[in-house]
């Protein structure tokens, strides 16, 4: 019998190969279409405070989206701190620095701790299914963070090849309210 860990490992490998097969310029244009769908969501339009992510090259790209919206909404980005994510507000391109652990862009400034005020969270993932299940990179960063924001509307964003029939889940995995995908 195959363990959940082995199934997740194989799925991560499969998705990584699919991501690597798509040129970055294509990921960028496909991301614009996906993020335009996010903008149309009523939950996004009504949100005052939105937590999202500063994308890595293999993820749905968010840099343009962040720069388009940060003056109109309070946008938060995660910063890796050991095994946890701390939140800071994005106040413009000049506030960014390379994160210590992974080199992902992170905002400087004070930590944002008013988790109750987060209306919406846009979540990256390796794979999603139609039931809203999400599989991340395996470190549990987002599951720990999402468990502290149960009231926020959670939206996964994914390229078509990241949608799978069934994401193997464990009790601590947090479901998305919606998954926007191609």
């Amino acid at each position: 019998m195959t363990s959940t860990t082995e199934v997740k490992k194989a799925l991560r490998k499969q998705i990584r190969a699919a991501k690597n097969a798509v040129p970055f310029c294509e990921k960028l244009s496909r991301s614009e279409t996906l993020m335009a769908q996010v903008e149309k969501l009523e939950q996004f339009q009504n949100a005052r405070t939105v937590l999202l992510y500063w994308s890595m090259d293999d993820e749905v790209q968010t840099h343009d989206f962040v720069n388009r919206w940060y003056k109109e909404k309070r946008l938060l980005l995660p910063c890796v701190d050991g095994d946890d994510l701390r939140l800071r507000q994005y106040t413009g391109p000049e506030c960014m620095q390379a994160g210590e652990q992974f080199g992902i862009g992170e905002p400087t400034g004070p930590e944002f701790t008013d988790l109750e005020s987060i209306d919406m969270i846009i979540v990256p993932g390796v794979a999603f299914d139609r039931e809203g299940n999400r599989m991340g990179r395996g470190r549990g960063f987002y599951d720990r963070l999402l468990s502290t924001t149960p009231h926020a509307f959670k939206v996964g964003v994914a390229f078509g090849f990241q949608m799978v029939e069934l994401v193997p889940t464990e009790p601590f995995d947090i479901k998305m309210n919606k998954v926007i995908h191609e």
Side-chain angles (χ1 to χ4, degrees), residues 142-161:
Y142 272 93
D143 287 314
R144 283 189 295 281
L145 175 64
L146 296 174
S147 71
T148 67
T149 57
H151 59 281
F153 189 80
K154 296 160 186 66
V155 178
V157 288
F159 297 116
F161 56 79

Side-chain angles (χ1 to χ4, degrees), residues 2 23 28 48 77 114 151 173 182:
T2 311
L28 206 52
R48 284 197 187 92
L77 297 176
D114 183 12
H151 59 281
D173 290 327
E182 298 173 298

